[in-house]
C-alpha cells in the first residue's frame, strides 16, 4: 500500500477568505458548507482547515481546527468544502451561529491525509462523534479504488451520530453504536471489533474520533496485521507546525520516542507508532 | 502621502533590512512559515531557543487560550544544537534569510558551550540569549529573575563568543526591577536587549479542577500583554537610551509595532500573532511602513524612542 | 443538580455571607452601584483606597482600553479619611452592606494614622491595606515591591489597630518573588492577602506619539490579567496554605471566580467587570453558586484551593 | 431658571436589551434607531446611553457612550431611541455595522440632562459634529415651553453636519459653518457668537461638541450674563460613576477646584464652572 507523502510542509496550504453557503443543524452538530474556490483541488480526506473565529474584535486569538468533511469541485458554487462542527466552546459556537453569506478566514488544506491504497483492499472506517465527518469523503475515494468499505460509527447518544443519507451510499455496510442505546446497538465501536476484522478480512482501519477510541482500537488490533491509520485530535495553537503545542509521543524506526507535531506529521498517523500510554507525559530523555 | 521609508535597522553591529522579526519559539526554524512568505522578505528569523542536547519538553496540554492571549508551556523541546546547526541554519541561509539564533541553557556553562558552537558558524546575524530558563544550579530560579545569574550568563557567552557576533539578552518582565537586570547584562557585554519574554500565568481547567497545562504554569503571550511590553521597553529605553532593544509582546498590527518602536524598540519580534495569521509578519511590516510614511518619518530610526522626546520642556 | 450551597466565607475573623466582593477603586463607595443591585446582596463592598487627606489624583486621560483589559491611572483621587468616615461608611452600614475599607498612604506613618482613625469606627468588617503606592520616603519605590517596606507598613497598621479588625494586605504582582513578600506581611500581622493589584503597563497614543495616560504608566486590569492572578493566587496558596486570600484580577463570570477559588482564593473581588456590566457582581455570584452546586460542593470552603489536591499521589 | 436635579445617582438607569430597528448612513454618521421600550419615558435631552460593543467574545471590555439624540414614546415600535454615531474606532464601527434586528445591551438613561427653563427664554443651541444629535430633541422640549430656539452647527466638512429635516422644523433659525466651506458659511460656530448673542438677546446657550468648542464658547460668553450649559465628552471607562476616569476640574461654590466625574455630574455642566485651562492637568492640592 503506497501512502502519499507531502514534499515540503503544508505545501498546498493557502490562507484565504471563504463564504458560508449554508449552515444547518444536524443532530447535535452543524453542517457548514463553505465556498472556497480552487483550493478544494488540493484537499484530501484527513486534511483539516484552520479557521479564524470571533470576527475583527475577537478576544479569541487562535484559529480553530476542523476536519474537512468533504469537498466538491463542481458544486453550483464552484469549489465547496463541508465541515461538521460540534458547538463546544465559544469559537465553535460562533461558527455554528454564522448566517449564510458570512465571510471567514481559513487556512487549508493542512496536515497529513489518509493513505489511499493503490489496490482494492478491505477497509473498515471507524468514526466517533463528529469524527465520522472525514470518513464519508474517504469512503468515496476508496470506492473509486474498488475497495470494500465497511463503517462503524459510535457516539454517546444518537444525536451525536453523524451519518448523512448520501454518505451511506458510499459504504458497503454501516453499523451504529450508542452508549445509551438511543440509536443502533448499545455499546461502543470497539465492542466486536476483532470479530469484524476477522470475519471481513479487514486490511486497513481508518479511524477518526476521541483519543480514547483511537487508543482502544490500536490496542485491540496490535495482535493482528491490520494497519491502523487514525486521525488524532490534539489541542493546536497554530495548526501549521510553528508552536510545538500539539505534540504526541511517537516511536520512530530505531525505537526511540519523540514528541511529534500532530498538526504537520498528523492528524493522520499510524496508530501503532503512537505511544498512547505516554500521551500527556514526557518520555525519558534519549541520547 | 506615500514617502518611501528606510526601514533598515541595527542591533549591535548587525544590520537588518526591516525591523520585523519572528519571535523565538513562534516560528520553529522557519521552514513551516516559508509556505506563506519568503523568509528573506522580513527582517530576521529568530529561531526557537536551542539547548545543547535534544529535549522532549513538557507534557501536554501545552497551551491554553486566554482572553486576547494564550499560555504556553513547551519546555524548550528541540533537536539540540548540533542537529540545529547541521540542518536548520544552512537551510535558512540558503533562503537568504537573516538568522538570529536563540540559545537556552540550564547552567552558566551550558550557555558558554552553546556560544562556543555558534562561534564557528558563519552567516548568523546575532545570538539571542534566552535567560528565562530555570537555573538547575540554583533551586531552579530563573536566570532572568536573578541579576547576578543574568550577568554571569551573558559574561560567559561574551567571553566565549568574542567580539564579533552581537549578543541580544532576552529578559523576563516578571521582576521587580527590570532596568537593574538590563543594566547588569549590558555591563556584562550584551549589545542589545530583547523585551519581553512571556509573563508567568496559569489557567485552571474547571472540568478537571486542576491546572490545565501539563507544566502547571505557562507563559502568557499575545495582545493581552502588549501594555506590559510597551511599559518594559519604555522603562528600559529611558534608563539605557544607547542600548538597542528588540521589542516584542502582543504585536499583531503595524500600529502595535509602531507603539513598541515609539517606546524605544529598534526592531520588533512577532510571536503569537503568527499562530492566528501565518502571514502576520508581512502584513505587520507593510502596515508599519505605511504608518511611518504617513507620519512623515523618512527612516525607521527616527521613530525609535520618539515617545520619550520632551517638547518645549 | 440543584443542591443548595453554603456560600459563606471568612477572612481572618470576618464572616461574609458570600465570597463575591467589589474591588477597591471599582465601586467608589458603593452608592453608584446601589442603583443596580442591593449592596447587602453581595459579600462585601471594598471601598476605594482612601488616604489621610483629600486628593485630586492624576491628570486625564486616566484610562485606555487594551485588548481584553484596560489601563487606569487614577492616582488615588478621594475625599480623605475624615470625610469618608463621616459620609460614606455610615451610608453603607445603613444599607446593611458588609464594608471592607481600603487604605493607602505615602509613608509608613500615614498608614498607621489611617488605621488609628479606623479603629474607632464600628461596623467595619475588615481593612484592606493597599501597599501598591509609591513610598515618598524611599525614592517613590512602591511599598509592595519592597519586602521590608511592605512588612513595616503592615506592622505599623497591626500595632495601631489592635487585634480586632482583620487586616488584608493587598499585594502587587510586579515583583520577582511574590511568596516572599506575602510571607513578610503575614509575619508582620496580616490576617489575609488580597491578590492581585493591577499590572504595570503603558499605552502609547499613536496620534500624539506619546504615552496616552496623563500619568504615563497605568495599572492593567480586566480579563487580560486573569492568568497572572490565577498563578499568583496558586503560588501564594501553595506557600502559605493557612492564609486566606481575597482573589481578584479579570473576573467577569462565575467560571472565572471558580478558577480563582480553586487556585486558593477564599473570596473574590470583581473590579473592571463592573465597568462593562453594572450588575456583574450579582451575575457572577449566581453563576458561581450554580457551578459549585453542579460540581457537588456543599460549601464554598470545600472548593477553596481544591486545584492543589494530590490524587492517588 | 430651574434645573432638574437628580435625587440619587442615575436613579432612572436600567440595564436592558435593545433591538436595532434601523441603521442608516447619514453623511459621515450612522443614524441608529433602537427599540428600547418604556425606558424612553425617563430619558431627557442631554442624557446618554452606554452600550456594550463587539458581541459575546469581544476583546472590548468597556461600554461606549453615546448621547441620546431623541426618543419617541409612541413610535410604531413602542419606545424608541435614536443615536447619531460616528464610525471612529472599533467599537463605534461595530455599532455602525449592526444589521436591523440585532440585539444590544444598553444602560440608560445616564448622566445629567440639559436644564429646561420654566419660562419662555431665548435659547441658542450650538452643536459641533455629531454634537448636534441631542440638540434637536432639546429644541423640541424648549419649543413646548415657548422658547425661541436658534441653532448654530459647525463641523470640519459638510458631511459631518448632522441636521435632519424634521429637526430643522423645531428651530427658529439654523446657521451652519464648515471649516472648509463645503456647507454653509466657511468658519467656526464661534465666529460671530457674541454678535448673535447680543442681537438675539440670548439667555441660555446649550452646547454639545468637541471640548475645544465648549471651551471657546465659555470664554467668549464669560463677559456676558448668558448661561452656558454644555455637554462635555471625556473618556469614560464605566459611565456610572465608579471608576473616576472621566473627571474634569470644576470650581465649586467656595472657589475650590475639584475633579468632578463627568459621567454623573455631567455630561451637562455649567460651562463657567469648568476650569478648561486645567483639563488634562492636576489642580493644586487644597487643604
Ligand atoms: C485536527 C483537528 C480536527 C478537528 N475536527 C473537528 C471537526 O471536524 N468537528 C468539530 O466539531 N471539531 C473538530 N475539532 C475540534 C475543534 O477544533 C474544537 O472543538 C474547537 O477548537 C473548540 O474551540 P472552541 O472555541 O469552541 O472551544 P474552547 O474550549 O473555548 O477552545 C479553547 C481553546 O482550546 C482548543 N480546543 C478546545 N477543544 C479542542 C479540541 N477538542 N481539539 C483541539 N483543540 C481544542 C481550541 O482550539 C482553543 O484554542 C478538531 C480538532 C483538531 C485538532
Ligand atoms: C457622554 C458622551 C456622549 C457621546 N456621544 C456621542 C455621540 O452621540 N455620537 C458619537 O459618535 N460619539 C459620541 N461619543 C463618543 C463616543 O463615545 C466615542 O466615539 C466612542 O466611545 C469611541 O469608541 P471606539 O471603540 O469607536 O473608539 P476607540 O478609540 O477604539 O475607543 C477606545 C476607548 O477610548 C474611548 N474613547 C475613544 N474616543 C472617545 C471619545 N471621543 N469620547 C469618549 N471616549 C472615547 C472609548 O470609549 C474606548 O473605551 C460620546 C462620548 C461621551 C463620553
Ligand atoms: C509557543 C511559544 C513558544 C515560545 N518559545 C520561546 C523560546 O523558545 N525562547 C524564547 O526566548 N521565547 C519563547 N517564547 C516567547 C516569545 O518569543 C515572545 O517573547 C513572547 O511570546 C511575546 O511575544 P508575542 O506576544 O508576540 O508572542 C515563546 C512563546 C510562545 C507563545
Ligand atoms: C479604575 C481602577 C481603580 C482602582 N483603584 C484601586 C484602589 O484605589 N485601590 C486598590 O487597592 N486597587 C485599585 N484598583 C485595582 C483593583 O482593585 C483590582 O485589584 C484590579 O483592578 C484587578 O481586578 P479586576 O481585573 O477585576 O479589575 C483599581 C482598578 C481600577 C481598574
Ligand atoms: S499546532 Fe502549532 S506546531 Fe502543531
Ligand atoms: S466614567 Fe467611571 S466615573 Fe465616570
Amino acid at each position: 500500500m503506497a501512502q502519499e507523502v507531502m514534499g515540503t510542509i503544508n505545501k498546498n496550504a493557502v490562507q484565504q477568505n471563504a463564504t458560508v453557503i449554508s449552515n444547518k443543524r444536524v443532530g447535535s452538530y452543524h453542517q457548514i458548507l463553505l465556498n472556497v474556490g480552487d483550493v478544494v483541488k488540493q484537499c484530501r480526506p484527513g486534511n483539516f482547515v484552520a479557521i479564524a473565529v470571533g470576527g475583527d474584535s475577537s478576544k479569541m486569538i487562535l484559529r480553530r481546527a476542523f476536519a474537512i468533511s468533504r469537498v466538491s469541485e463542481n458544486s453550483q458554487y464552484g469549489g465547496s468544502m463541508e465541515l461538521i462542527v460540534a458547538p463546544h466552546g465559544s469559537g465553535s459556537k460562533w461558527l455554528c451561529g454564522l448566517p449564510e453569506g458570512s465571510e471567514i478566514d481559513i487556512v487549508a488544506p493542512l496536515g497529513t491525509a489518509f493513505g489511499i491504497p493503490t489496490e482494492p483492499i478491505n477497509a473498515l472506517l471507524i468514526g466517533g462523534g463528529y469524527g465520522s465527518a472525514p470518513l464519508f469523503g474517504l469512503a468515496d475515494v476508496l470506492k473509486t479504488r474498488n475497495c470494500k468499505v465497511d463503517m462503524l460509527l459510535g457516539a454517546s447518544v444518537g444525536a451525536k451520530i453523524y451519518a448523512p443519507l448520501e454518505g451511506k451510499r458510499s459504504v458497503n455496510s454501516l453499523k451504529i453504536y450508542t452508549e445509551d442505546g438511543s440509536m443502533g446497538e448499545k455499546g461502543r465501536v470497539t465492542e466486536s471489533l476483532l470479530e469484524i476484522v476477522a470475519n471481513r478480512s479487514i486490511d486497513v482501519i481508518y479511524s477518526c474520533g476521541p483519543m480514547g477510541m483511537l487508543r482502544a482500537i490500536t490496542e485491540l488490533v496490535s495482535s493482528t496485521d491490520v494497519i491502523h491509520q487514525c486521525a488524532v485530535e490534539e489541542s493546536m495553537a497554530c495548526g501549521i507546525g510553528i508552536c510545538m503545542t500539539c505534540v504526541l509521543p511517537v516511536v520512530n524506526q530505531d525505537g526511540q520516542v519523540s514528541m511529534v507535531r500532530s498538526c504537520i506529521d498528523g492528524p493522520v498517523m499510524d496508530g501503532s507508532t503512537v505511544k498512547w500510554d505516554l500521551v500527556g507525559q514526557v518520555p525519558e530523555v534519549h541520547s | 502621502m506615500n514617502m518611501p521609508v528606510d526601514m533598515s535597522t541595527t542591533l549591535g553591529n548587525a544590520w537588518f533590512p526591516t525591523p520585523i522579526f519572528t519571535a523565538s519559539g513562534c516560528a520553529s526554524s522557519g521552514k513551516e512559515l516559508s509556505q506563506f512568505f519568503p523568509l528573506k522578505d522580513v527582517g530576521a528569523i529568530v529561531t526557537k531557543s536551542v539547548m545543547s542536547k535534544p529535549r522532549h519538553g513538557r507534557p501536554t496540554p501545552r497551551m491554553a487560550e486566554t482572553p486576547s492571549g494564550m499560555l504556553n508551556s513547551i519546555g524548550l523541546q528541540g533537536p539540540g544544537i548540533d542537529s540545529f546547526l547541521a540542518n536548520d541554519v544552512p537551510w535558512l541561509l540558503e533562503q537568504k534569510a537573516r538568522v538570529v539564533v536563540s540559545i537556552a541553557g540550564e547552567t552558566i556553562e551550558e550557555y558558554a558551550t552553546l556560544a562556543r558552537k555558534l562561534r564557528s558558524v558563519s552567516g548568523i546575524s546575532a545570538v539571542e540569549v534566552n535567560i528565562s530558563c530555570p537555573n538547575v544550579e540554583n533551586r531552579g530560579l530563573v536566570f532572568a529573575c536573578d541579576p547576578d545569574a543574568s550577568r554571569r550568563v551573558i559574561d560567559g557567552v561574551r567571553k566565549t563568543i568574542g567580539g564579533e557576533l552581537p549578543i541580544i539578552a532576552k529578559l523576563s518582565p516578571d521582576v521587580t526591577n527590570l532596568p537593574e537586570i538590563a543594566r547588569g547584562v549590558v555591563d556584562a557585554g550584551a549589545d542589545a536587549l530583547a523585551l519581553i519574554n512571556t509573563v508567568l500565568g496559569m489557567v485552571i481547567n474547571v472540568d478537571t479542577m486542576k491546572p490545565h497545562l501539563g507544566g502547571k504554569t505557562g507563559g502568557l503571550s499575545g495582545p493581552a500583554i502588549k501594555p506590559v511590553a510597551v511599559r518594559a521597553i519604555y522603562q528600559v529605553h529611558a534608563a539605557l537610551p544607547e542600548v538597542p532593544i528588540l521589542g516584542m509582546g502582543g504585536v499583531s498590527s503595524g500600529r502595535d509595532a509602531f507603539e513598541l518602536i515609539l517606546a524605544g524598540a529598534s526592531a520588533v519580534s512577532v510571536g503569537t500573532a503568527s499562530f492566528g495569521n501565518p502571514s502576520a509578519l508581512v502584513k505587520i511590516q507593510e502596515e508599519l511602513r505605511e504608518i511611518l510614511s504617513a507620519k512623515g518619518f523618512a527612516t525607521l530610526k527616527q521613530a525609535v524612542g520618539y515617545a520619550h522626546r520632551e517638547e518645549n520642556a
Side-chain angles (χ1 to χ4, degrees), chain A residues 235-247 261-264, chain B residues 275:
Chain A
S235 248
M236 294 179 179
C238 75
I240 57 169
I242 59 177
C243 74
M244 310 296 276
T245 60
C246 62
V247 295
R261 286 165 287 184
S262 63
C263 65
I264 56 173
Chain B
F275 301 169

Side-chain angles (χ1 to χ4, degrees), chain B residues 46-58:
Chain B
V46 183
T47 55
K48 169 126 193 95
S49 298
V50 67
M51 302 185 75
S52 55
K53 299 262 170 62
R55 290 248 307 192
H56 285 311
R58 294 241 187 91

Side-chain angles (χ1 to χ4, degrees), chain B residues 115-173:
Chain B
R116 195 167 311 121
K117 300 211 171 179
L118 280 184
R119 195 172 48 176
S120 50
V121 182
S122 64
I124 294 174
S125 297
V127 54
E128 187 178 272
V129 186
N130 171 9
I131 55 173
S132 297
C133 303
N135 179 351
V136 296
E137 293 166 334
N138 184 10
R139 297 166 293 130
L141 182 65
V142 171
F143 288 102
C145 292
D146 177 351
D148 185 52
S150 303
R151 245 190 320 260
R152 286 167 58 211
V153 168
I154 300 302
D155 183 60
V157 172
R158 176 84 288 163
K159 293 212 172 102
T160 315
I161 221 163
E164 292 287 277
L165 206 55
I167 295 176
I168 308 168
K170 182 160 178 183
L171 306 184
S172 161

